[in-house]
Structures are given as structure tokens and as C-alpha cells.
């Protein structure tokens, strides 16, 4: 449970290949595979209970739950702690348990190996030309800004052509992409949220073949100039074609941009020029709120393209279904919607059709349940929407009023928890659909009713999508929209059945076999608000998920992983939910005041299984949530994480190998 463990305490474990649930192939005894992987004593070593016989093959796997850390072990509350285990059942009726651990690859603010030689600042913030952005808030202590908020991360499959020697790798070359959502504060403690562009980096990792351990070999920033810089990149996913799909959430409101000090600071820092905010070409809100895609090259560099045709919404992340065309999206907003994109070509997000759902409530108790019907918003290419973004002003697209104009040509909608009255300009349907997506979706009848729709992932075998409604509040409970549920504020994870042969509300066929038709939460994945804080200060039941955010599904483990972004739990947790047994297990605890981010479940990279897990903004204290523990934990977290300016990028260890060594 220490933050920087030795290798002997964190050696990953091996399993074999070839059975229905886990890809197993039998033929090794427990003793031989443990010897082969160099198993040793310590928190990540295997503990036979008892070991399987020679001919036995694994049939199922499940996670045991760890207790939430308490002040009796303050050190555990002040770091990433893992006290869970993986239990494997075998065909002869025996079981074996493997303890799990956590391995950070770096802490932001570290000097790490630079792809170009020398070292580079991990998580460092750079302007559009690649120059470091300097924190000058405390005279005499000037230093480059670096992010304390690593977020979406993708561990890629093998990329052919990588030169091990040039990349400084001794084992297997593995690439990852990590993005940094924002920087919480400057040295004078002033908020920097959304005021600096979001960096994104390619990590060249050295994968040790016999243990699966990943070591950072090279770090390379992705130039974001081709994408006009990146705005508040939150969650991410790995595309089926092995690219990193990023996000830009909380799109700046083009109709209120003149008074948006956050956006002005962003543009000033992006271009290193205070005059840039007066340049309509540079200070253009329509260039932000889209979907960036990062391609990694064999030399450890990366390139980014921004797709403008998936709607300009509060992109939390997207998930591409197995058809490589259907894209399900999280919209992290108040008055957000259920959006879906169907690409024209597989493995190509540069053109397609955008839809929004009309939700019909079928249950009002608790978090409710809904059926979904789909409204076509429009079809477009990214190139044509990018051109419209560069040439149109907001008032070219529609008229917007924030007080009632008493004009029947306007339609009243809800946007970000407030009333708007909108009137579309003639011939501007396409521009509105892709640049004013929230307003247009409401105008045409979409249910802009959801609040804090975050992570999205898919269980392909069962054709079920899971979505995280982090906080059920505001538009979902106040009766101002077409749905009204009861909560809880601690949120819920919903399951959506995915069907083929669906038509939109105009009776036109939807060219996808992965269309969500309903949504309801499994009972185990509904949070529970507390009537009064518990002994630590938790505002929600600590033994249930509160405020789910990151979601990833492992097909091989039949497990839904859920990371929290909770202002109701003192420590945020990472959970594992087995969809067959419906067992929910806490498997990791983040430092107090931090959010669980960077989640990715990777079933097989050169035979090894990984769960990536980062965290962001440790010791980001809230009142009254942290009042009872702050005085004890604040000095510990400051000591662990660079006075709380740093955060960890890493992964859970002790997971099985999926192919024979």
C-alpha cells in the first residue's frame, strides 16, 4: 500500500489461455506458472488457497472487496491504497487468490525521459507552439505550470515498426496516451480551471515480458496546433482501430462568450498573447467542444485531429461499438442529452449522422427508468462543420434570448439549468445541429433532461451499454423537463439494452445494430445518500458507489469497472461489478480529496491484463465533506504529492496473464 513499491512487491501474476470466460489454455501446474513469473512474497504475490491440480483450468474470476480506509490508518487515506484481491475458480473445484497492488508510472511534476533526449516535465502545460506556460503568480518563484489532473488514458495494442533501441526499451514496446484535464491552481492558490490548454502525451513503455511490469521509457507531448489546442479534456477511450479518443467537455457558450473570463484566459495562454482574445479567428468558441482523436506513431510521437461532426456538447468521452461505426456518448452537463453518432464508414469518424434520444419515463421511483427513441439531428462531414465553425457567428445560426421575448416565433428550452428562448435562422439546421447542439436538440424535441451523464462503456457479448449518471439532481428532479425522478444525489449507473433494426422518430432506419432502446440501473449500482454524515464525514454510503464517473467493461473478466468522482465520499473509490454474479467489490481507494480517473480495462497486451487507474487533484478539500479528516490528512498528502500539485498515473498489478508464457 506504499505509493512507490519495489518490483518484488508488485510482480504481476500469470494465468493460462483458452476457456470461455478467461482465455485459457491449460497445461501448466500452479507451481510451474508461479515459478515462471517469478512470484515472491509480498502484497502482490500469489497465495494458493489451495492451488489447482495439473489438469485444472480456470472457469471464473471475481474480485474481493477491500474495506474503506479509516483514520486509524491515515497513511492509507493519503495515498492510492489497494487491499483487494482476485479470486480464480478452477474446473476441479479449487480456487486461488491473488493479492493486488498499485504501480505508479510517474507523478505529474516529475522530470521524465524525453523522447527528444534529456528530460521533460510530466504533465507540463504548453502553448500552441509548444512553449512552456510559466506560473508567475509568486514573484521570485516562477516555474512552468504542470497539471495535477491526469484523466483519460489508453493503453494501445502493439504498433508495428517500433525500434526498441531508439526508444530505450529492453522488453516489449507498448504505447499509451494520457491526457491532463486541467490545472487546479497556481502557486498563489488562484483557480486555473479551464484557463490553460489541456496537454496530452504519448508514453513509450517498457513492458517486462516475464512480469508484465510497465516502466516509462520515453514521454512525448502531442502537438495540438492542428486541433486549435485542446479544451478541458476529460475521459477517453481506446478505439477498435487502436487510436485514443479524447474529449472536450463544458463547451463554451458562444452566445455568452464576451463575458467568459475563463475562455479569455484560455485563449491568452494558448497563444501566449493577451491580444488573441480580440482576434475572432483565434478566440472562436465554435472550435471547442468536439472530439479529438490521437494516432500514435511507431517512433513514439503522436498526432491529433479534431472531429467536428459528433456534436458540440459536453463530451465526457465516447465509446465506439464493435461495428466500428456506432458511437455512444456521455454528455456531462446540466440539461444534457443522450447522443449517438453513426459513422458513414467503419473506423472513420470524419463523417456520419448524429442523433439525440427522446426519453419516455417508465418508472419514477429512485433513479427511474426510461425507453429511448431517436431523433435524427443531421448528417455531415467533419470538414464542412469545421468550415462552418470558422465562418459563422452565433447570431448567423439562431436568435437566443434569456428572458421571455413574448414572441411566438421563439421556442422555450432549458440550457444549463436556465430558460432560453431560441429561434432558428432559415437554412441553418445543419450548423445548429453540429455547433449549437444542445439548443438545437432541445428545439427539435430531444430530452435535454439528464444531469451529469459521464462515462459510457459497452458489454459486447450481452449487447448492453452502461452509463454513469454521476449526480442525479437539477434537471432530473426539478420538474422542468420531460422526466422527473427522485434521485439519489449519489447517482447511479444505468444499463441500456442495444438492439438492431431500429428506426428513428421519422420512421427512417438507423444504420446500426447497437442502438440503445431503454435504460435502467441495476440495483447494486444505485448510490445511497446519508441523512447525516458518518464518522469520517461521508455524505453517501461508503459501501456503495457514489457519483460514478469513469466506466470500463472487461469482456474477459465479465466485470464493469467504476471510478468515482464524488463530492460525497471522503476518499473516492474504484469498484468492480461482476455482471453475472452481481457482486460489487471495492478494489482501490484514491487519496482523500482526489477523483478516480484514467480508467481502462485492457484484456490482453502481449498476454498481460491491465487495469489503468490514475487520480487527479489530491487534497481538493470540500466543506463539510472533509472537515473531520482534513487536519490529519492534509500534511500527509502534501508530502506525498508535491504539496498537492502532483498526481499519479499508474495501473493495478497482480492481474493474470492471458496467454501461455
Amino acid at each position: 500500500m506504499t505509493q512507490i513499491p519495489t518490483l518484488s512487491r508488485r510482480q504481476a501474476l500469470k494465468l493460462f489461455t483458452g476457456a470461455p470466460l478467461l482465455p485459457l489454455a491449460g497445461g501448466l501446474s500452479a507451481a510451474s506458472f508461479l515459478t515462471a513469473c517469478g512470484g515472491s512474497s509480498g502484497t502482490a504475490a500469489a497465495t494458493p488457497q489451495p492451488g489447482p491440480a495439473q489438469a485444472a483450468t480456470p472457469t471464473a474470476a471475481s474480485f474481493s472487496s477491500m474495506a474503506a480506509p479509516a483514520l486509524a490508518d491515515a497513511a492509507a487515506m493519503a495515498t492510492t491504497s489497494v487491499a483487494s484481491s482476485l479470486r480464480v475458480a478452477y474446473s476441479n473445484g479449487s480456487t486461488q487468490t491473488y493479492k493486488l497492488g498499485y504501480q505508479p508510472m510517474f507523478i505529474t511534476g516529475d522530470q521524465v525521459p524525453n523522447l527528444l533526449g534529456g528530460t521533460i516535465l510530466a504533465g507540463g502545460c504548453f502553448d500552441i507552439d509548444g512553449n512552456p506556460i510559466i506560473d508567475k503568480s509568486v514573484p521570485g518563484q516562477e516555474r512552468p505550470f504542470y497539471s495535477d489532473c491526469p484523466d483519460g488514458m489508453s493503453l494501445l495494442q502493439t504498433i508495428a515498426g517500433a525500434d526498441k533501441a531508439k526508444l530505450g526499451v529492453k522488453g516489449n514496446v507498448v504505447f499509451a496516451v494520457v491526457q491532463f484535464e486541467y490545472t487546479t491552481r497556481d502557486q498563489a492558490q488562484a483557480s486555473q480551471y479551464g484557463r490553460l490548454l489541456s496537454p496530452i502525451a504519448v508514453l513509450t513503455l517498457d513492458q517486462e515480458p516475464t512480469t508484465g511490469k510497465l516502466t516509462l521509457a520515453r514521454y512525448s507531448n502531442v502537438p495540438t496546433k492542428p486541433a486549435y489546442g485542446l479544451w478541458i479534456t476529460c475521459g477517453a477511450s481506446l478505439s477498435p482501430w487502436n487510436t485514443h479518443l479524447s474529449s472536450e467537455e463544458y463547451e463554451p457558450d458562444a452566445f455568452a462568450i464576451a463575458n467568459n473570463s475563463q475562455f479569455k484566459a484560455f485563449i491568452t495562454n494558448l497563444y501566449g498573447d493577451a491580444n488573441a482574445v480580440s482576434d475572432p479567428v483565434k478566440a472562436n468558441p465554435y472550435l471547442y467542444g468536439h472530439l479529438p482523436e490521437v494516432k500514435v506513431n511507431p517512433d513514439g510521437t503522436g498526432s491529433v485531429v479534431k472531429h467536428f461532426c459528433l456534436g458540440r456538447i459536453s463530451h465526457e468521452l465516447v465509446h465506439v461499438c464493435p461495428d466500428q461505426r456506432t458511437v455512444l456518448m456521455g454528455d456531462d452537463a446540466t440539461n444534457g442529452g443522450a447522443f449517438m453518432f453513426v459513422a458513414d464508414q467503419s473506423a472513420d469518424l470524419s463523417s456520419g449522422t448524429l442523433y439525440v434520444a427522446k426519453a419516455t419515463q417508465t418508472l419514477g421511483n429512485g433513479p427511474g427508468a426510461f425507453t429511448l427513441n431517436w431523433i435524427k439531428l443531421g448528417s455531415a462531414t467533419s470538414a464542412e462543420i469545421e468550415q462552418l465553425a470558422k465562418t459563422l457567428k452565433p447570431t448567423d445560426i439562431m436568435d437566443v434570448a434569456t428572458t421571455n421575448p413574448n414572441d411566438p416565433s421563439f421556442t422555450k428550452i432549458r440550457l444549463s439549468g436556465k430558460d432560453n428562448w431560441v429561434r432558428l435562422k432559415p437554412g441553418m439546421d445543419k450548423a445548429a445541429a453540429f455547433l449549437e447542439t444542445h439548443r438545437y436538440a432541445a428545439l427539435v424535441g430531444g430530452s435535454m433532461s439528464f444531469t451529469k451523464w459521464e462515462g459510457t462503456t459497452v458489454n459486447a457479448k450481452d449487447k448492453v451499454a452502461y452509463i454513469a449518471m454521476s449526480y442525479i439532481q437539477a434537471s432530473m428532479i426539478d420538474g422542468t423537463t420531460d422526466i422527473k425522478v427522485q434521485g439519489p444525489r449519489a447517482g447511479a449507473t444505468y444499463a441500456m439494452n442495444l438492439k438492431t433494426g431500429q428506426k428513428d422518430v421519422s420512421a427512417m432506419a438507423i444504420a446500426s445494430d447497437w442502438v440503445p432502446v431503454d435504460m435502467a440501473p441495476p440495483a447494486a449500482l444505485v448510490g445511497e445518500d446519508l441523512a447525516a454524515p458518518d464518522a469520517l464525514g461521508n455524505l453517501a454510503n461508503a459501501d456503495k458507489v457514489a457519483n460514478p464517473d469513469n466506466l470500463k467493461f472487461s469482456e474477459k473478466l465479465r466485470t464493469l469497472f467504476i471510478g468515482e468522482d464524488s463530492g460525497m465520499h471522503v476518499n473516492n473509490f474504484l469498484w468492480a461489478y461482476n455482471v453475472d454474479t452481481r457482486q460489487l467489490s471495492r478494489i482501490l481507494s484514491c487519496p482523500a480529496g482526489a477523483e478516480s480517473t484514467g480508467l481502462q480495462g485492457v484484456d490482453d497486451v502481449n498476454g498481460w491484463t491491465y487495469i489503468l487507474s490514475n487520480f487527479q487533484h489530491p487534497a481538493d478539500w470540500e466543506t463539510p465533506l472533509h472537515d473531520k479528516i482534513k487536519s490529519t490528512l492534509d500534511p500527509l498528502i502534501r508530502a506525498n504529492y508535491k504539496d498537492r500539485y502532483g498526481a499519479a498515473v499508474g495501473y493495478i498489478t497482480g492481474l493474470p496473464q492471458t496467454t501461455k508464457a
Side-chain angles (χ1 to χ4, degrees):
M1 289 176 23
T2 55
Q3 182 58 47
I4 308 293
T6 62
L7 176 59
S8 64
R9 288 171 58 82
R10 293 293 183 263
Q11 288 176 312
L13 305 173
K14 296 183 178 180
L15 215 53
F16 341 133
T17 67
L21 287 179
L22 299 173
L24 314 164
L28 293 177
S29 68
S32 65
F33 90 77
L34 288 172
T35 300
C37 77
S40 63
S41 62
T43 59
T47 305
Q49 299 178 3
Q54 176 79 19
T57 57
T59 56
S62 62
F63 289 89
S64 70
S65 192
M66 60 179 278
L71 274 178
D73 187 2
M77 295 186 71
T79 189
T80 300
S81 60
V82 178
S84 52
S85 58
L86 177 69
R87 180 179 182 272
V88 181
Y90 292 85
S91 57
N92 66 354
S94 64
T95 63
Q96 192 160 16
T97 299
Y98 308 101
K99 294 181 180 179
L100 304 181
Y102 183 73
Q103 178 67 54
M105 291 186 278
F106 61 85
I107 306 296
T108 61
D110 286 351
Q111 289 290 332
V112 296
N114 189 347
L115 182 68
L116 301 178
T119 62
I120 190 171
L121 184 65
C125 299
F126 297 83
D127 67 18
I128 200 164
D129 293 315
N131 303 307
I133 302 174
I134 306 300
D135 179 357
K136 302 177 182 178
S137 62
V138 178
Q141 298 183 28
E142 292 82 0
R143 71 181 188 190
F145 274 110
Y146 60 89
S147 174
D148 61 328
C149 293
D151 207 306
M153 189 171 177
S154 297
L155 189 67
L156 277 63
Q157 296 298 313
T158 300
I159 295 177
D163 188 318
K164 291 170 55 174
K166 289 184 178 179
L167 293 171
V169 172
K170 296 179 181 179
N172 300 320
V173 176
V174 176
F175 294 112
V177 179
V178 61
Q179 60 198 39
F180 302 89
E181 185 178 5
Y182 60 90
T183 300
T184 299
R185 61 185 69 83
D186 63 19
Q187 293 182 90
Q189 306 303 305
S191 173
Q192 296 301 305
Y193 178 79
R195 300 171 71 87
L196 304 169
L197 72 161
S198 295
I200 192 165
V202 174
L203 311 180
T204 300
L205 303 173
D206 188 342
Q207 183 192 47
E208 188 174 319
T210 59
T211 67
K213 177 178 167 63
L214 300 174
T215 301
L216 180 64
R218 297 288 187 270
Y219 183 107
S220 176
N221 283 310
V222 177
T224 62
K225 193 169 187 175
Y228 313 103
L230 300 182
W231 166 271
I232 311 181
T233 57
C234 195
S237 64
L238 180 67
S239 75
W241 51 94
N242 210 33
T243 60
H244 174 85
L245 299 178
S246 182
S247 58
E248 291 184 315
E249 71 174 356
Y250 305 133
E251 80 284 10
D253 185 354
F255 282 90
I257 208 65
N259 298 316
N260 189 329
S261 59
Q262 179 194 53
F263 184 72
K264 291 178 181 179
F266 170 82
I267 294 297
T268 297
N269 287 314
L270 177 64
Y271 288 98
D273 179 7
N275 294 320
V277 298
S278 301
D279 184 341
V281 175
K282 295 178 178 178
N284 181 352
Y286 284 143
L287 298 178
Y288 306 98
H290 301 284
L291 178 75
E293 180 177 13
V294 175
K295 178 182 178 181
V296 174
N297 303 311
D299 63 0
T301 62
S303 58
V304 61
V305 61
K306 190 176 287 186
H307 297 296
F308 287 80
C309 54
L310 283 86
R312 184 170 170 269
I313 61 174
S314 186
H315 281 289
E316 171 71 19
L317 59 72
V318 304
H319 185 98
V320 181
C321 294
D323 64 353
Q324 301 196 20
R325 295 180 60 220
T326 305
V327 183
L328 307 180
M329 296 183 258
D331 183 22
D332 184 6
T334 299
N335 294 108
F339 291 95
M340 175 178 66
F341 177 79
V342 181
D344 292 334
Q345 304 291 332
S346 64
D348 181 356
L349 301 181
S350 65
S351 66
T353 301
L354 181 65
Y355 296 88
V356 67
K358 172 66 176 178
T360 300
Q361 188 166 327
T362 57
L363 180 68
N365 295 334
F370 314 91
T371 58
L372 303 175
N373 293 285
W374 293 90
I375 300 169
K376 178 180 175 180
L377 297 180
S379 299
T381 68
S382 180
E384 66 179 313
I385 302 304
E386 182 177 5
Q387 186 60 31
L388 290 177
K390 291 180 176 180
T391 56
L392 293 177
K393 300 188 297 294
T395 51
D396 294 331
I397 300 173
M398 60 175 58
D399 296 317
V400 173
T402 56
T403 58
N404 191 347
N406 295 311
D407 183 336
S409 64
F410 282 79
T411 300
K412 181 182 177 181
I413 65 167
R414 294 286 287 178
L415 180 81
S416 299
K418 299 178 181 179
D419 291 335
N420 271 207
W421 287 261
V422 299
R423 179 173 61 190
L424 187 66
K425 296 290 182 71
M428 286 292 158
D429 292 80
K430 180 175 288 191
F434 292 93
L435 295 177
E436 287 290 339
T437 308
H438 278 135
R439 288 185 170 100
Y440 184 75
L443 182 64
V444 299
S447 292
M448 306 307 292
S449 311
F450 300 104
T451 293
K452 298 295 287 180
W453 183 316
E454 304 222 36
T456 301
T457 192
V458 169
N459 166 357
K461 178 183 177 182
D462 298 331
K463 294 194 74 171
V464 173
Y466 301 96
I467 68 98
M469 204 70 68
S470 188
Y471 286 81
I472 298 176
Q473 59 186 17
S475 62
M476 292 188 70
I477 66 172
D478 63 11
T480 60
T481 68
D482 53 356
I483 70 171
K484 185 177 182 180
V485 301
Q486 297 173 334
R489 187 171 180 270
T493 298
Y494 293 75
M496 301 194 299
N497 290 298
L498 307 175
K499 300 293 185 182
T500 188
Q502 299 301 299
K503 296 181 179 181
D504 66 21
V505 296
S506 298
M508 299 296 293
I510 300 175
S512 170
D513 295 329
W514 300 85
V515 178
V517 297
D518 54 25
M519 55 186 284
L525 302 184
V526 178
E528 180 185 338
D529 301 347
L530 296 179
D534 68 10
L536 280 179
N538 289 301
L539 305 175
N541 188 334
D543 292 324
K544 295 184 178 182
V545 180
N547 313 115
D549 187 334
N550 281 209
L551 298 181
K552 289 293 186 289
F553 186 76
S554 169
E555 296 286 342
K556 299 294 174 62
L557 295 175
R558 297 286 293 163
T559 296
L560 174 66
F561 295 102
I562 306 170
E564 295 181 338
D565 177 8
S566 180
M568 302 182 75
H569 278 171
V570 170
N571 289 83
N572 279 200
F573 305 123
L574 176 62
W575 302 83
Y577 175 70
N578 186 293
V579 298
D580 297 316
T581 65
R582 302 180 184 177
Q583 176 183 340
L584 178 68
S585 305
R586 181 192 293 107
I587 61 172
L588 177 148
S589 175
C590 296
E595 170 189 346
S596 174
T597 64
L599 177 62
Q600 186 195 12
V602 189
D603 284 333
D604 186 353
V605 176
N606 298 321
W608 292 95
T609 300
Y610 296 94
I611 302 172
L612 304 184
S613 183
N614 308 332
F615 66 80
Q616 62 178 223
H617 57 69
D620 190 13
W621 305 123
E622 297 182 34
T623 296
L625 177 65
H626 297 112
D627 290 353
K628 297 179 181 180
I629 54 88
K630 178 180 176 180
S631 61
T632 301
L633 299 185
D634 189 67
L636 300 178
I637 294 176
R638 287 179 184 271
N640 286 341
Y641 301 110
K642 297 180 170 64
D643 202 25
R644 70 178 186 161
Y645 287 96
V649 171
Y651 61 98
I652 292 178
T653 61
L655 294 179
Q657 186 172 2
T658 58
T659 57
K660 183 177 177 180

